[in-house]
Amino acid sequence: MIRYFLTALILFTGSVSAEQTLSIIKPDAVKGNNIGDILAHYEDGGLKIVALKMVQLTPEQAGQFYEVHKERPFFEELTTFMSSSPVVVVVLDGDKAISKNRELMGATDPKKATEGTIRWKYGNSIGENAVHGSDSEATAKEEIQFFFGPHEIH
Ligand code: GDP
């Protein structure tokens, strides 16, 4: 009985702390041959890659993905950039994966990013900043579903 209780407790606490988040390796980083280095940042940072593919977005799909920014002055520039060449979409899994990935990425503007972060290393500008990462549990869920079906996540 106690053994069943402990097993259930471990499963329960394990499932509440484990999270999944979406990363996109953006066109600038794909063109710059930085895919492998960026994936190594995730793995070295303790996150597991549980789904991965290369995708060419249309401007419409990029607009749908970044719909939350559609009133912002940089929307057109952002969707043109995101559909300019292929991106790599990745599902990362781990303890506090959403905030962990945001830490590994660094600030939106690479000039303000902490030394050693992905954007500090590979970002060119506030627009062309190497990677995307989900910013909350709700967006992570939506963004993962935007690119992956349940059978594509391992
Ligand atoms: P993130 O969560 O750190 O990616 O930042 P945001 O959600 O605020 O913005 C989404 C993306 O829009 C950023 O990653 C940039 O690619 C782009 N972006 C944000 N602010 C600007 C800006 O002032 N100018 C341009 N050109 N692009 C921006």
Side-chain angles (χ1 to χ4, degrees):
M1 185 65 192
I2 287 178
R3 199 186 313 153
Y4 286 127
F5 175 73
L6 287 176
T7 309
L9 188 68
I10 288 164
L11 286 173
F12 176 71
T13 50
S15 67
V16 289
S17 58
E19 279 178 352
Q20 291 189 340
T21 188
L22 184 84
S23 152
I24 304 178
I25 303 178
K26 296 185 178 183
D28 57 328
V30 172
K31 280 193 264 182
N33 273 356
N34 300 131
I35 300 171
D37 287 350
I38 291 173
L39 294 178
H41 270 263
Y42 299 140
E43 294 190 324
D44 294 346
L47 295 172
K48 269 210 156 326
I49 295 163
V50 293
L52 180 147
K53 62 184 162 191
M54 188 174 268
V55 179
Q56 169 69 61
L57 292 172
T58 64
E60 291 72 29
Q61 286 169 326
Q64 241 181 303
F65 184 81
Y66 279 114
E67 183 152 21
V68 67
H69 294 306
K70 82 171 175 288
E71 305 303 332
R72 309 282 286 274
F74 56 81
F75 182 71
E76 180 75 34
E77 194 182 325
L78 175 60
T79 56
T80 301
F81 166 61
M82 289 301 289
S83 57
S84 63
S85 65
V87 297
V88 174
V89 288
V90 186
V91 179
L92 300 169
D93 181 294
D95 189 33
K96 299 190 176 69
I98 298 165
S99 56
K100 179 83 213 174
N101 181 39
R102 298 288 306 185
E103 252 173 63
L104 293 170
M105 286 162 61
T108 308
D109 183 351
K111 288 201 269 333
K112 295 182 184 152
T114 304
E115 194 172 334
T117 59
I118 296 169
R119 283 170 163 171
W120 179 84
K121 278 190 170 170
Y122 307 113
N124 298 316
S125 65
I126 190 164
E128 303 198 2
N129 56 5
V131 282
H132 165 83
S134 311
D135 63 4
S136 71
E137 268 185 61
T139 52
K141 196 162 177 250
E142 271 174 33
E143 291 178 356
I144 290 170
Q145 284 173 358
F146 188 93
F147 288 106
F148 294 97
H151 300 298
E152 293 178 296
I153 301 170
H154 302 280

